[in-house]
């Protein structure tokens, strides 16, 4: 079984017949499936960290699919959403996709097309999770440095010599060398070029995957 079909597909729809039909189809395709008959039930019971996606109805009592999408955005849940609706209009679809939904399909969808979008969404979520984990790993390494070490690291990466750094920070060259040695050890790099590469990766990944991280 592939990694994609080991992922969890969440079906959220107040129509039990739709849930049963979609669940059967996706299980036959090899997916793990969990069904929810309301948005509130999904919010209460689902583990957002499990790789997969959401196949979400738009019009449901108590909380609509669009309202659930807004709540997931507020909670910083990055599960891809595939909207299904018999009532959707162009404006609603554009708004949903603009807010990050994978796509907006009209019920009943072509099953081959639905399966195609689900596979794409699952793979996107898997890659997003990998990127976030790597970003968090880099952030943890960077946060292991002291404030003084971070200042030195930025200057070393820019090509400043120990002497130049000592003059700018008004510390001894011996202190700069000590900081530099500690930086290389903590960040697992061997020279200024590798340190520069580390900082480039850190900036790129945290902007892409940790845009709201308070420690960036």
């Amino acid at each position: 079984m592939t990694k994609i079909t080991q992922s969890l597909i969440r079906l959220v729809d107040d129509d039990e017949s739709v849930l049963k039909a979609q669940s059967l189809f996706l299980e036959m395709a090899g997916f793990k499936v969990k069904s929810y008959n309301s948005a509130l039930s999904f919010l209460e019971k689902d583990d957002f960290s499990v790789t997969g996606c959401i196949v979400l109805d738009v019009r449901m009592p108590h909380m609509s699919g669009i309202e659930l999408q807004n709540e997931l955005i507020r909670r910083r849940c990055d599960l891809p959403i595939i909207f299904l609706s018999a009532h959707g209009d162009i404006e609603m679809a554009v708004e949903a996709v603009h807010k990050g939904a994978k796509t907006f399909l009209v019920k009943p969808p072509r099953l081959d097309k639905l399966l195609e979008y689900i596979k794409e969404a699952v793979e996107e979520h898997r890659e997003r999770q990998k990127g976030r984990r790597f970003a968090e790993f880099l952030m943890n390494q960077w946060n292991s440095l002291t404030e003084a070490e971070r200042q030195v690291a930025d200057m070393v990466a820019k090509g400043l010599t120990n002497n130049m750094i000592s003059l700018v920070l008004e510390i001894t060259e011996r202190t700069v060398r000590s900081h530099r040695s500690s930086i290389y050890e903590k960040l697992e790099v061997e020279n200024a070029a590798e340190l520069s590469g580390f900082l480039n990766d850190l900036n790129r990944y945290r902007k892409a995957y940790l845009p709201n991280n308070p420690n960036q």
Side-chain angles (χ1 to χ4, degrees):
M1 187 177 290
T2 66
K3 288 183 178 180
I4 284 185
T5 53
Q6 290 173 359
S7 303
L8 179 64
I9 312 304
R10 293 88 161 163
L11 305 178
V12 185
D13 197 308
D14 63 322
D15 188 330
E16 292 291 342
S17 64
V18 170
L19 289 178
K20 289 180 181 179
Q22 291 180 356
S23 180
L24 178 61
F25 167 70
L26 293 173
E27 286 173 351
M28 289 179 63
F31 285 101
K32 294 179 181 178
V33 180
K34 193 159 187 179
S35 298
Y36 300 96
N37 59 12
S38 72
L40 295 177
S41 177
F42 168 78
L43 290 173
E44 290 173 1
K45 300 176 182 178
D46 196 77
D47 181 356
F48 301 163
S49 68
V50 178
T51 304
C53 70
I54 309 169
V55 179
L56 178 59
D57 188 26
V58 171
R59 300 203 180 190
M60 297 180 289
H62 308 301
M63 177 181 282
S64 71
I66 298 298
E67 289 172 332
L68 174 58
Q69 182 189 29
N70 292 334
E71 177 61 18
L72 292 175
I73 291 171
R74 188 186 72 80
R75 297 190 186 193
R76 298 177 183 173
C77 171
D78 63 355
L79 281 167
I81 296 174
I82 297 170
F83 274 110
L84 297 183
S85 177
H87 309 283
D89 57 21
I90 294 176
E91 183 178 353
M92 184 185 294
V94 170
E95 179 185 0
V97 173
H98 179 71
K99 289 181 178 179
K102 172 71 178 174
T103 191
F104 197 105
L105 302 177
V106 176
K107 285 183 176 181
R110 281 177 43 191
L111 294 183
D112 60 333
K113 183 61 66 174
L114 175 61
L115 189 60
E116 178 184 334
Y117 277 119
I118 285 175
K119 288 180 178 180
E120 289 178 2
V122 168
E123 187 56 33
E124 286 174 11
H125 192 228
R126 187 176 301 282
E127 290 302 311
R128 198 178 301 162
Q129 288 182 315
K130 285 171 58 178
R132 186 175 65 252
R133 285 194 294 268
F134 186 55
E136 290 171 345
F137 169 74
L138 295 178
M139 281 297 298
N140 287 336
Q141 284 189 299
W142 180 247
N143 288 336
S144 73
L145 302 184
T146 65
E147 185 59 35
E149 288 170 345
R150 291 179 197 174
Q151 287 182 305
V152 171
D154 283 329
M155 294 182 182
V156 171
K158 292 175 182 176
L160 275 68
T161 65
N162 289 347
N163 178 255
M164 295 168 68
I165 294 172
S166 71
L167 292 174
V168 172
L169 297 180
E170 298 181 340
I171 56 178
T172 66
E173 282 193 57
R174 181 176 179 180
T175 300
V176 174
R177 287 194 295 271
S178 176
H179 285 327
R180 192 165 185 155
S181 176
S182 179
I183 291 163
Y184 286 179
E185 180 180 354
K186 290 179 179 180
L187 301 186
E188 301 178 8
V189 298
E190 296 185 358
N191 51 51
E194 289 187 8
L195 174 58
S196 178
F198 173 91
L199 290 178
N200 286 336
D201 283 344
L202 174 65
N203 289 329
R204 180 160 56 90
Y205 275 86
R206 70 181 177 184
K207 286 177 182 178
Y209 297 101
L210 304 173
N212 299 310
N213 190 302
N215 295 319
Q216 67 177 321

